[in-house]
PDB file of all heavy atoms in Angstrom:
ATOM      1  N   ILE A   1       8.563   3.883  16.033  1.00 96.00           N
ATOM      2  CA  ILE A   1       7.927   3.983  14.730  1.00 96.00           C
ATOM      3  C   ILE A   1       7.650   2.518  14.142  1.00 96.00           C
ATOM      4  O   ILE A   1       8.520   1.505  14.488  1.00 96.00           O
ATOM      5  CB  ILE A   1       8.926   4.476  13.624  1.00 96.00           C
ATOM      6  CG1 ILE A   1       9.292   5.875  14.108  1.00 96.00           C
ATOM      7  CG2 ILE A   1       8.356   4.432  12.199  1.00 96.00           C
ATOM      8  CD1 ILE A   1      10.363   6.524  13.116  1.00 96.00           C
ATOM      9  N   GLU A   2       6.515   2.167  13.839  1.00 97.00           N
ATOM     10  CA  GLU A   2       6.006   0.884  13.430  1.00 97.00           C
ATOM     11  C   GLU A   2       5.549   0.875  12.014  1.00 97.00           C
ATOM     12  O   GLU A   2       5.162   1.978  11.463  1.00 97.00           O
ATOM     13  CB  GLU A   2       5.022   0.272  14.307  1.00 97.00           C
ATOM     14  CG  GLU A   2       5.524  -0.036  15.721  1.00 97.00           C
ATOM     15  CD  GLU A   2       4.472  -0.629  16.654  1.00 97.00           C
ATOM     16  OE1 GLU A   2       3.248  -0.288  16.478  1.00 97.00           O
ATOM     17  OE2 GLU A   2       4.848  -1.544  17.394  1.00 97.00           O
ATOM     18  N   HIS A   3       5.517  -0.181  11.338  1.00 97.00           N
ATOM     19  CA  HIS A   3       4.979  -0.321   9.870  1.00 97.00           C
ATOM     20  C   HIS A   3       3.895  -1.451   9.923  1.00 97.00           C
ATOM     21  O   HIS A   3       4.245  -2.688  10.396  1.00 97.00           O
ATOM     22  CB  HIS A   3       6.094  -0.741   8.935  1.00 97.00           C
ATOM     23  CG  HIS A   3       5.614  -1.040   7.530  1.00 97.00           C
ATOM     24  ND1 HIS A   3       5.035  -0.160   6.751  1.00 97.00           N
ATOM     25  CD2 HIS A   3       5.561  -2.282   7.016  1.00 97.00           C
ATOM     26  CE1 HIS A   3       4.601  -0.759   5.506  1.00 97.00           C
ATOM     27  NE2 HIS A   3       5.021  -2.050   5.725  1.00 97.00           N
ATOM     28  N   ALA A   4       2.694  -1.124   9.571  1.00 98.00           N
ATOM     29  CA  ALA A   4       1.705  -2.198   9.518  1.00 98.00           C
ATOM     30  C   ALA A   4       1.506  -2.702   7.993  1.00 98.00           C
ATOM     31  O   ALA A   4       1.336  -1.895   7.095  1.00 98.00           O
ATOM     32  CB  ALA A   4       0.398  -1.548   9.933  1.00 98.00           C
ATOM     33  N   LEU A   5       1.551  -3.963   7.746  1.00 98.00           N
ATOM     34  CA  LEU A   5       1.403  -4.455   6.539  1.00 98.00           C
ATOM     35  C   LEU A   5      -0.130  -4.319   6.090  1.00 98.00           C
ATOM     36  O   LEU A   5      -0.894  -4.615   6.902  1.00 98.00           O
ATOM     37  CB  LEU A   5       1.802  -5.996   6.406  1.00 98.00           C
ATOM     38  CG  LEU A   5       3.239  -6.239   6.271  1.00 98.00           C
ATOM     39  CD1 LEU A   5       4.022  -5.924   7.485  1.00 98.00           C
ATOM     40  CD2 LEU A   5       3.408  -7.597   5.722  1.00 98.00           C
ATOM     41  N   LEU A   6      -0.368  -3.880   4.901  1.00 98.00           N
ATOM     42  CA  LEU A   6      -1.643  -3.623   4.398  1.00 98.00           C
ATOM     43  C   LEU A   6      -2.288  -4.769   3.785  1.00 98.00           C
ATOM     44  O   LEU A   6      -1.576  -5.619   3.074  1.00 98.00           O
ATOM     45  CB  LEU A   6      -1.721  -2.414   3.494  1.00 98.00           C
ATOM     46  CG  LEU A   6      -1.217  -1.142   4.073  1.00 98.00           C
ATOM     47  CD1 LEU A   6      -1.108  -0.054   3.051  1.00 98.00           C
ATOM     48  CD2 LEU A   6      -2.226  -0.580   5.246  1.00 98.00           C
ATOM     49  N   PRO A   7      -3.604  -4.885   3.758  1.00 98.00           N
ATOM     50  CA  PRO A   7      -4.219  -6.172   2.955  1.00 98.00           C
ATOM     51  C   PRO A   7      -4.088  -5.936   1.589  1.00 98.00           C
ATOM     52  O   PRO A   7      -4.360  -4.876   1.041  1.00 98.00           O
ATOM     53  CB  PRO A   7      -5.604  -6.092   3.502  1.00 98.00           C
ATOM     54  CG  PRO A   7      -5.880  -4.680   3.892  1.00 98.00           C
ATOM     55  CD  PRO A   7      -4.604  -4.165   4.459  1.00 98.00           C
ATOM     56  N   TYR A   8      -3.787  -7.013   0.769  1.00 98.00           N
ATOM     57  CA  TYR A   8      -3.824  -7.030  -0.630  1.00 98.00           C
ATOM     58  C   TYR A   8      -5.283  -7.091  -1.086  1.00 98.00           C
ATOM     59  O   TYR A   8      -5.634  -8.288  -1.324  1.00 98.00           O
ATOM     60  CB  TYR A   8      -2.867  -8.274  -1.120  1.00 98.00           C
ATOM     61  CG  TYR A   8      -2.340  -8.031  -2.448  1.00 98.00           C
ATOM     62  CD1 TYR A   8      -2.392  -6.745  -3.236  1.00 98.00           C
ATOM     63  CD2 TYR A   8      -1.685  -9.078  -3.050  1.00 98.00           C
ATOM     64  CE1 TYR A   8      -1.905  -6.704  -4.465  1.00 98.00           C
ATOM     65  CE2 TYR A   8      -1.003  -8.954  -4.298  1.00 98.00           C
ATOM     66  CZ  TYR A   8      -1.132  -7.690  -4.953  1.00 98.00           C
ATOM     67  OH  TYR A   8      -0.606  -7.676  -6.177  1.00 98.00           O
ATOM     68  N   ASP A   9      -5.933  -6.140  -0.968  1.00 98.00           N
ATOM     69  CA  ASP A   9      -7.454  -6.153  -1.030  1.00 98.00           C
ATOM     70  C   ASP A   9      -7.997  -6.086  -2.508  1.00 98.00           C
ATOM     71  O   ASP A   9      -7.303  -6.078  -3.435  1.00 98.00           O
ATOM     72  CB  ASP A   9      -8.114  -5.149  -0.184  1.00 98.00           C
ATOM     73  CG  ASP A   9      -7.665  -3.711  -0.514  1.00 98.00           C
ATOM     74  OD1 ASP A   9      -7.080  -3.499  -1.705  1.00 98.00           O
ATOM     75  OD2 ASP A   9      -7.730  -2.813   0.349  1.00 98.00           O
ATOM     76  N   LEU A  10      -9.248  -6.259  -2.641  1.00 98.00           N
ATOM     77  CA  LEU A  10      -9.922  -6.269  -4.009  1.00 98.00           C
ATOM     78  C   LEU A  10      -9.583  -5.009  -4.724  1.00 98.00           C
ATOM     79  O   LEU A  10      -9.283  -5.049  -5.959  1.00 98.00           O
ATOM     80  CB  LEU A  10     -11.365  -6.320  -3.849  1.00 98.00           C
ATOM     81  CG  LEU A  10     -12.183  -6.385  -5.147  1.00 98.00           C
ATOM     82  CD1 LEU A  10     -11.727  -7.648  -6.017  1.00 98.00           C
ATOM     83  CD2 LEU A  10     -13.591  -6.462  -4.959  1.00 98.00           C
ATOM     84  N   GLU A  11      -9.490  -3.823  -4.081  1.00 97.00           N
ATOM     85  CA  GLU A  11      -9.203  -2.598  -4.712  1.00 97.00           C
ATOM     86  C   GLU A  11      -7.945  -2.607  -5.382  1.00 97.00           C
ATOM     87  O   GLU A  11      -7.675  -2.112  -6.386  1.00 97.00           O
ATOM     88  CB  GLU A  11      -9.378  -1.354  -3.672  1.00 97.00           C
ATOM     89  CG  GLU A  11      -9.219   0.008  -4.207  1.00 97.00           C
ATOM     90  CD  GLU A  11      -9.289   1.072  -3.164  1.00 97.00           C
ATOM     91  OE1 GLU A  11      -8.720   0.848  -2.122  1.00 97.00           O
ATOM     92  OE2 GLU A  11      -9.913   2.117  -3.454  1.00 97.00           O
ATOM     93  N   ALA A  12      -6.969  -3.117  -4.581  1.00 98.00           N
ATOM     94  CA  ALA A  12      -5.518  -3.141  -5.109  1.00 98.00           C
ATOM     95  C   ALA A  12      -5.411  -4.224  -6.190  1.00 98.00           C
ATOM     96  O   ALA A  12      -4.826  -3.949  -7.169  1.00 98.00           O
ATOM     97  CB  ALA A  12      -4.514  -3.616  -3.968  1.00 98.00           C
ATOM     98  N   LEU A  13      -6.023  -5.335  -6.045  1.00 98.00           N
ATOM     99  CA  LEU A  13      -5.872  -6.275  -7.130  1.00 98.00           C
ATOM    100  C   LEU A  13      -6.481  -5.936  -8.360  1.00 98.00           C
ATOM    101  O   LEU A  13      -6.027  -6.270  -9.496  1.00 98.00           O
ATOM    102  CB  LEU A  13      -6.481  -7.628  -6.575  1.00 98.00           C
ATOM    103  CG  LEU A  13      -5.702  -8.382  -5.404  1.00 98.00           C
ATOM    104  CD1 LEU A  13      -6.575  -9.291  -4.731  1.00 98.00           C
ATOM    105  CD2 LEU A  13      -4.444  -8.946  -5.987  1.00 98.00           C
ATOM    106  N   LEU A  14      -7.655  -5.264  -8.250  1.00 98.00           N
ATOM    107  CA  LEU A  14      -8.376  -4.793  -9.468  1.00 98.00           C
ATOM    108  C   LEU A  14      -7.599  -3.716 -10.127  1.00 98.00           C
ATOM    109  O   LEU A  14      -7.581  -3.590 -11.464  1.00 98.00           O
ATOM    110  CB  LEU A  14      -9.811  -4.401  -9.138  1.00 98.00           C
ATOM    111  CG  LEU A  14     -10.786  -5.411  -8.875  1.00 98.00           C
ATOM    112  CD1 LEU A  14     -12.143  -4.984  -8.647  1.00 98.00           C
ATOM    113  CD2 LEU A  14     -10.799  -6.522  -9.920  1.00 98.00           C
ATOM    114  N   ILE A  15      -7.111  -2.628  -9.532  1.00 98.00           N
ATOM    115  CA  ILE A  15      -6.409  -1.603 -10.162  1.00 98.00           C
ATOM    116  C   ILE A  15      -5.236  -2.066 -10.898  1.00 98.00           C
ATOM    117  O   ILE A  15      -4.751  -1.558 -11.796  1.00 98.00           O
ATOM    118  CB  ILE A  15      -6.205  -0.470  -9.223  1.00 98.00           C
ATOM    119  CG1 ILE A  15      -6.003   0.893  -9.949  1.00 98.00           C
ATOM    120  CG2 ILE A  15      -4.922  -0.663  -8.286  1.00 98.00           C
ATOM    121  CD1 ILE A  15      -6.028   2.206  -9.249  1.00 98.00           C
ATOM    122  N   GLU A  16      -4.604  -3.186 -10.349  1.00 98.00           N
ATOM    123  CA  GLU A  16      -3.462  -3.796 -11.114  1.00 98.00           C
ATOM    124  C   GLU A  16      -3.923  -4.388 -12.363  1.00 98.00           C
ATOM    125  O   GLU A  16      -3.238  -4.238 -13.397  1.00 98.00           O
ATOM    126  CB  GLU A  16      -2.786  -4.871 -10.125  1.00 98.00           C
ATOM    127  CG  GLU A  16      -2.148  -4.048  -8.961  1.00 98.00           C
ATOM    128  CD  GLU A  16      -1.333  -5.103  -8.105  1.00 98.00           C
ATOM    129  OE1 GLU A  16      -1.780  -6.397  -8.060  1.00 98.00           O
ATOM    130  OE2 GLU A  16      -0.391  -4.716  -7.503  1.00 98.00           O
ATOM    131  N   VAL A  17      -5.032  -5.280 -12.421  1.00 98.00           N
ATOM    132  CA  VAL A  17      -5.359  -5.849 -13.688  1.00 98.00           C
ATOM    133  C   VAL A  17      -5.767  -4.869 -14.574  1.00 98.00           C
ATOM    134  O   VAL A  17      -5.679  -5.060 -15.877  1.00 98.00           O
ATOM    135  CB  VAL A  17      -6.366  -6.934 -13.469  1.00 98.00           C
ATOM    136  CG1 VAL A  17      -5.812  -8.007 -12.618  1.00 98.00           C
ATOM    137  CG2 VAL A  17      -7.759  -6.359 -12.897  1.00 98.00           C
ATOM    138  N   GLU A  18      -6.272  -3.673 -14.159  1.00 97.00           N
ATOM    139  CA  GLU A  18      -6.836  -2.583 -15.080  1.00 97.00           C
ATOM    140  C   GLU A  18      -5.622  -2.038 -15.885  1.00 97.00           C
ATOM    141  O   GLU A  18      -5.779  -1.338 -16.903  1.00 97.00           O
ATOM    142  CB  GLU A  18      -7.491  -1.548 -14.240  1.00 97.00           C
ATOM    143  CG  GLU A  18      -8.883  -1.857 -13.816  1.00 97.00           C
ATOM    144  CD  GLU A  18      -9.478  -0.610 -13.243  1.00 97.00           C
ATOM    145  OE1 GLU A  18     -10.130   0.194 -14.016  1.00 97.00           O
ATOM    146  OE2 GLU A  18      -9.481  -0.329 -11.998  1.00 97.00           O
ATOM    147  N   LEU A  19      -4.322  -2.294 -15.441  1.00 97.00           N
ATOM    148  CA  LEU A  19      -3.195  -1.773 -16.211  1.00 97.00           C
ATOM    149  C   LEU A  19      -3.294  -2.374 -17.593  1.00 97.00           C
ATOM    150  O   LEU A  19      -2.693  -1.788 -18.575  1.00 97.00           O
ATOM    151  CB  LEU A  19      -1.865  -2.117 -15.357  1.00 97.00           C
ATOM    152  CG  LEU A  19      -1.620  -1.382 -14.095  1.00 97.00           C
ATOM    153  CD1 LEU A  19      -0.497  -1.959 -13.356  1.00 97.00           C
ATOM    154  CD2 LEU A  19      -1.524   0.126 -14.374  1.00 97.00           C
ATOM    155  N   LEU A  20      -3.631  -3.675 -17.662  1.00 97.00           N
ATOM    156  CA  LEU A  20      -3.853  -4.262 -19.058  1.00 97.00           C
ATOM    157  C   LEU A  20      -4.743  -3.449 -20.031  1.00 97.00           C
ATOM    158  O   LEU A  20      -4.255  -3.205 -21.081  1.00 97.00           O
ATOM    159  CB  LEU A  20      -4.484  -5.757 -18.831  1.00 97.00           C
ATOM    160  CG  LEU A  20      -4.601  -6.436 -20.214  1.00 97.00           C
ATOM    161  CD1 LEU A  20      -3.456  -7.334 -20.330  1.00 97.00           C
ATOM    162  CD2 LEU A  20      -5.982  -7.099 -20.240  1.00 97.00           C
ATOM    163  N   ALA A  21      -5.743  -2.974 -19.484  1.00 97.00           N
ATOM    164  CA  ALA A  21      -6.672  -2.091 -20.191  1.00 97.00           C
ATOM    165  C   ALA A  21      -6.148  -0.769 -20.460  1.00 97.00           C
ATOM    166  O   ALA A  21      -6.271  -0.196 -21.560  1.00 97.00           O
ATOM    167  CB  ALA A  21      -8.025  -1.991 -19.554  1.00 97.00           C
ATOM    168  N   ASP A  22      -5.483  -0.118 -19.548  1.00 96.00           N
ATOM    169  CA  ASP A  22      -4.863   1.212 -19.610  1.00 96.00           C
ATOM    170  C   ASP A  22      -3.686   1.391 -20.549  1.00 96.00           C
ATOM    171  O   ASP A  22      -3.509   2.261 -21.205  1.00 96.00           O
ATOM    172  CB  ASP A  22      -4.607   1.787 -18.316  1.00 96.00           C
ATOM    173  CG  ASP A  22      -5.819   1.872 -17.400  1.00 96.00           C
ATOM    174  OD1 ASP A  22      -6.948   2.010 -17.990  1.00 96.00           O
ATOM    175  OD2 ASP A  22      -5.756   1.908 -16.070  1.00 96.00           O
ATOM    176  N   TRP A  23      -2.762   0.237 -20.461  1.00 97.00           N
ATOM    177  CA  TRP A  23      -1.581   0.402 -21.190  1.00 97.00           C
ATOM    178  C   TRP A  23      -1.310  -0.615 -22.208  1.00 97.00           C
ATOM    179  O   TRP A  23      -0.936  -0.329 -23.301  1.00 97.00           O
ATOM    180  CB  TRP A  23      -0.468   0.389 -20.152  1.00 97.00           C
ATOM    181  CG  TRP A  23      -0.503   1.636 -19.217  1.00 97.00           C
ATOM    182  CD1 TRP A  23      -1.050   1.622 -18.040  1.00 97.00           C
ATOM    183  CD2 TRP A  23       0.159   2.803 -19.532  1.00 97.00           C
ATOM    184  NE1 TRP A  23      -0.859   2.953 -17.456  1.00 97.00           N
ATOM    185  CE2 TRP A  23      -0.181   3.740 -18.517  1.00 97.00           C
ATOM    186  CE3 TRP A  23       0.795   3.352 -20.561  1.00 97.00           C
ATOM    187  CZ2 TRP A  23       0.154   5.003 -18.352  1.00 97.00           C
ATOM    188  CZ3 TRP A  23       1.238   4.783 -20.529  1.00 97.00           C
ATOM    189  CH2 TRP A  23       0.997   5.492 -19.459  1.00 97.00           C
ATOM    190  N   TYR A  24      -1.623  -1.935 -21.839  1.00 97.00           N
ATOM    191  CA  TYR A  24      -1.279  -3.084 -22.833  1.00 97.00           C
ATOM    192  C   TYR A  24      -2.134  -3.027 -23.968  1.00 97.00           C
ATOM    193  O   TYR A  24      -1.548  -3.157 -25.150  1.00 97.00           O
ATOM    194  CB  TYR A  24      -1.235  -4.391 -22.120  1.00 97.00           C
ATOM    195  CG  TYR A  24      -0.973  -5.610 -22.958  1.00 97.00           C
ATOM    196  CD1 TYR A  24       0.369  -5.971 -23.209  1.00 97.00           C
ATOM    197  CD2 TYR A  24      -1.977  -6.293 -23.463  1.00 97.00           C
ATOM    198  CE1 TYR A  24       0.533  -7.027 -24.003  1.00 97.00           C
ATOM    199  CE2 TYR A  24      -1.699  -7.353 -24.317  1.00 97.00           C
ATOM    200  CZ  TYR A  24      -0.565  -7.762 -24.520  1.00 97.00           C
ATOM    201  OH  TYR A  24      -0.236  -8.803 -25.402  1.00 97.00           O
ATOM    202  N   VAL A  25      -3.402  -2.883 -23.792  1.00 96.00           N
ATOM    203  CA  VAL A  25      -4.336  -3.050 -24.903  1.00 96.00           C
ATOM    204  C   VAL A  25      -4.222  -1.930 -25.944  1.00 96.00           C
ATOM    205  O   VAL A  25      -3.862  -2.142 -27.089  1.00 96.00           O
ATOM    206  CB  VAL A  25      -5.880  -3.089 -24.468  1.00 96.00           C
ATOM    207  CG1 VAL A  25      -6.852  -2.969 -25.553  1.00 96.00           C
ATOM    208  CG2 VAL A  25      -5.953  -4.319 -23.503  1.00 96.00           C
ATOM    209  N   PRO A  26      -4.142  -0.585 -25.439  1.00 95.00           N
ATOM    210  CA  PRO A  26      -3.987   0.449 -26.468  1.00 95.00           C
ATOM    211  C   PRO A  26      -2.624   0.544 -27.063  1.00 95.00           C
ATOM    212  O   PRO A  26      -2.520   0.785 -28.318  1.00 95.00           O
ATOM    213  CB  PRO A  26      -4.349   1.668 -25.643  1.00 95.00           C
ATOM    214  CG  PRO A  26      -4.120   1.392 -24.306  1.00 95.00           C
ATOM    215  CD  PRO A  26      -4.484  -0.061 -24.111  1.00 95.00           C
ATOM    216  N   HIS A  27      -1.608   0.303 -26.461  1.00 94.00           N
ATOM    217  CA  HIS A  27      -0.210   0.408 -26.843  1.00 94.00           C
ATOM    218  C   HIS A  27       0.459  -0.696 -27.632  1.00 94.00           C
ATOM    219  O   HIS A  27       1.329  -0.517 -28.354  1.00 94.00           O
ATOM    220  CB  HIS A  27       0.686   1.132 -25.780  1.00 94.00           C
ATOM    221  CG  HIS A  27       0.129   2.460 -25.229  1.00 94.00           C
ATOM    222  ND1 HIS A  27       0.193   3.508 -25.938  1.00 94.00           N
ATOM    223  CD2 HIS A  27      -0.237   2.743 -23.933  1.00 94.00           C
ATOM    224  CE1 HIS A  27      -0.363   4.632 -25.174  1.00 94.00           C
ATOM    225  NE2 HIS A  27      -0.528   4.091 -24.028  1.00 94.00           N
ATOM    226  N   ILE A  28       0.117  -1.902 -27.084  1.00 93.00           N
ATOM    227  CA  ILE A  28       0.680  -3.150 -27.575  1.00 93.00           C
ATOM    228  C   ILE A  28      -0.310  -3.792 -28.697  1.00 93.00           C
ATOM    229  O   ILE A  28      -0.004  -4.170 -29.690  1.00 93.00           O
ATOM    230  CB  ILE A  28       1.039  -4.107 -26.603  1.00 93.00           C
ATOM    231  CG1 ILE A  28       1.906  -3.381 -25.541  1.00 93.00           C
ATOM    232  CG2 ILE A  28       1.663  -5.374 -27.130  1.00 93.00           C
ATOM    233  CD1 ILE A  28       3.216  -2.747 -26.071  1.00 93.00           C
ATOM    234  N   ILE A  29      -1.652  -3.995 -28.146  1.00 92.00           N
ATOM    235  CA  ILE A  29      -2.604  -4.650 -29.116  1.00 92.00           C
ATOM    236  C   ILE A  29      -3.082  -3.651 -30.215  1.00 92.00           C
ATOM    237  O   ILE A  29      -3.433  -4.044 -31.270  1.00 92.00           O
ATOM    238  CB  ILE A  29      -3.766  -5.159 -28.210  1.00 92.00           C
ATOM    239  CG1 ILE A  29      -3.320  -6.217 -27.162  1.00 92.00           C
ATOM    240  CG2 ILE A  29      -4.790  -5.715 -29.063  1.00 92.00           C
ATOM    241  CD1 ILE A  29      -2.707  -7.439 -27.839  1.00 92.00           C
ATOM    242  N   GLY A  30      -3.000  -2.375 -29.756  1.00 92.00           N
ATOM    243  CA  GLY A  30      -3.575  -1.365 -30.755  1.00 92.00           C
ATOM    244  C   GLY A  30      -4.863  -1.088 -30.854  1.00 92.00           C
ATOM    245  O   GLY A  30      -5.388  -0.670 -31.853  1.00 92.00           O
ATOM    246  N   THR A  31      -5.644  -1.472 -29.904  1.00 91.00           N
ATOM    247  CA  THR A  31      -7.105  -1.305 -29.920  1.00 91.00           C
ATOM    248  C   THR A  31      -7.588  -0.557 -28.553  1.00 91.00           C
ATOM    249  O   THR A  31      -6.734  -0.353 -27.684  1.00 91.00           O
ATOM    250  CB  THR A  31      -7.867  -2.684 -29.887  1.00 91.00           C
ATOM    251  OG1 THR A  31      -7.575  -3.511 -28.846  1.00 91.00           O
ATOM    252  CG2 THR A  31      -7.539  -3.419 -31.206  1.00 91.00           C
ATOM    253  N   GLN A  32      -8.896  -0.323 -28.452  1.00 92.00           N
ATOM    254  CA  GLN A  32      -9.427   0.280 -27.214  1.00 92.00           C
ATOM    255  C   GLN A  32     -10.476  -0.693 -26.750  1.00 92.00           C
ATOM    256  O   GLN A  32     -11.298  -1.079 -27.551  1.00 92.00           O
ATOM    257  CB  GLN A  32      -9.884   1.652 -27.465  1.00 92.00           C
ATOM    258  CG  GLN A  32      -8.823   2.727 -27.670  1.00 92.00           C
ATOM    259  CD  GLN A  32      -8.016   3.133 -26.419  1.00 92.00           C
ATOM    260  OE1 GLN A  32      -8.478   2.694 -25.349  1.00 92.00           O
ATOM    261  NE2 GLN A  32      -6.991   3.751 -26.602  1.00 92.00           N
ATOM    262  N   LEU A  33     -10.545  -0.845 -25.440  1.00 95.00           N
ATOM    263  CA  LEU A  33     -11.848  -1.567 -24.818  1.00 95.00           C
ATOM    264  C   LEU A  33     -12.903  -0.684 -24.795  1.00 95.00           C
ATOM    265  O   LEU A  33     -12.876   0.374 -24.374  1.00 95.00           O
ATOM    266  CB  LEU A  33     -11.549  -2.174 -23.610  1.00 95.00           C
ATOM    267  CG  LEU A  33     -10.459  -3.278 -23.488  1.00 95.00           C
ATOM    268  CD1 LEU A  33     -10.225  -3.651 -22.033  1.00 95.00           C
ATOM    269  CD2 LEU A  33     -10.866  -4.553 -24.273  1.00 95.00           C
ATOM    270  N   SER A  34     -14.163  -1.212 -25.128  1.00 96.00           N
ATOM    271  CA  SER A  34     -15.395  -0.348 -24.851  1.00 96.00           C
ATOM    272  C   SER A  34     -15.651  -0.467 -23.476  1.00 96.00           C
ATOM    273  O   SER A  34     -15.106  -1.093 -22.678  1.00 96.00           O
ATOM    274  CB  SER A  34     -16.589  -1.128 -25.597  1.00 96.00           C
ATOM    275  OG  SER A  34     -16.774  -2.306 -25.003  1.00 96.00           O
ATOM    276  N   GLY A  35     -16.613   0.540 -22.968  1.00 96.00           N
ATOM    277  CA  GLY A  35     -16.830   0.640 -21.649  1.00 96.00           C
ATOM    278  C   GLY A  35     -17.533  -0.686 -21.132  1.00 96.00           C
ATOM    279  O   GLY A  35     -17.317  -1.152 -19.960  1.00 96.00           O
ATOM    280  N   SER A  36     -18.313  -1.244 -21.828  1.00 97.00           N
ATOM    281  CA  SER A  36     -18.954  -2.547 -21.568  1.00 97.00           C
ATOM    282  C   SER A  36     -18.033  -3.674 -21.324  1.00 97.00           C
ATOM    283  O   SER A  36     -18.152  -4.474 -20.454  1.00 97.00           O
ATOM    284  CB  SER A  36     -20.096  -2.910 -22.475  1.00 97.00           C
ATOM    285  OG  SER A  36     -19.623  -3.030 -23.807  1.00 97.00           O
ATOM    286  N   ALA A  37     -16.942  -3.660 -22.338  1.00 97.00           N
ATOM    287  CA  ALA A  37     -15.987  -4.788 -22.221  1.00 97.00           C
ATOM    288  C   ALA A  37     -15.141  -4.701 -20.990  1.00 97.00           C
ATOM    289  O   ALA A  37     -14.868  -5.574 -20.249  1.00 97.00           O
ATOM    290  CB  ALA A  37     -15.217  -4.723 -23.459  1.00 97.00           C
ATOM    291  N   ARG A  38     -14.821  -3.326 -20.605  1.00 97.00           N
ATOM    292  CA  ARG A  38     -14.098  -3.146 -19.422  1.00 97.00           C
ATOM    293  C   ARG A  38     -14.796  -3.429 -18.131  1.00 97.00           C
ATOM    294  O   ARG A  38     -14.268  -4.024 -17.218  1.00 97.00           O
ATOM    295  CB  ARG A  38     -13.594  -1.674 -19.272  1.00 97.00           C
ATOM    296  CG  ARG A  38     -12.618  -1.260 -18.304  1.00 97.00           C
ATOM    297  CD  ARG A  38     -12.294   0.134 -18.279  1.00 97.00           C
ATOM    298  NE  ARG A  38     -11.221   0.457 -17.252  1.00 97.00           N
ATOM    299  CZ  ARG A  38     -10.021   0.893 -17.716  1.00 97.00           C
ATOM    300  NH1 ARG A  38      -9.696   1.090 -18.899  1.00 97.00           N
ATOM    301  NH2 ARG A  38      -9.133   1.218 -16.706  1.00 97.00           N
TER     302      ARG A  38
END
């Protein structure tokens, strides 16, 4: 059994920053981002 380390690629890095839009902005800031802003 082996484990291959995966690349910290653009897909991973972007879905992480999207957490700001998905959770922080609506629940802490109290607003919603428009589609164009996102």
Side-chain angles (χ1 to χ4, degrees):
I1 303 176
E2 293 182 327
H3 171 71
L5 277 78
L6 299 174
Y8 207 6
D9 56 17
L10 180 63
E11 185 180 43
L13 293 164
L14 286 183
I15 202 168
E16 289 183 335
V17 297
E18 283 187 88
L19 293 173
L20 179 102
D22 294 336
W23 294 94
Y24 179 84
V25 173
H27 297 300
I28 305 301
I29 300 295
T31 61
Q32 291 284 351
L33 292 177
S34 66
S36 59
R38 188 182 185 115

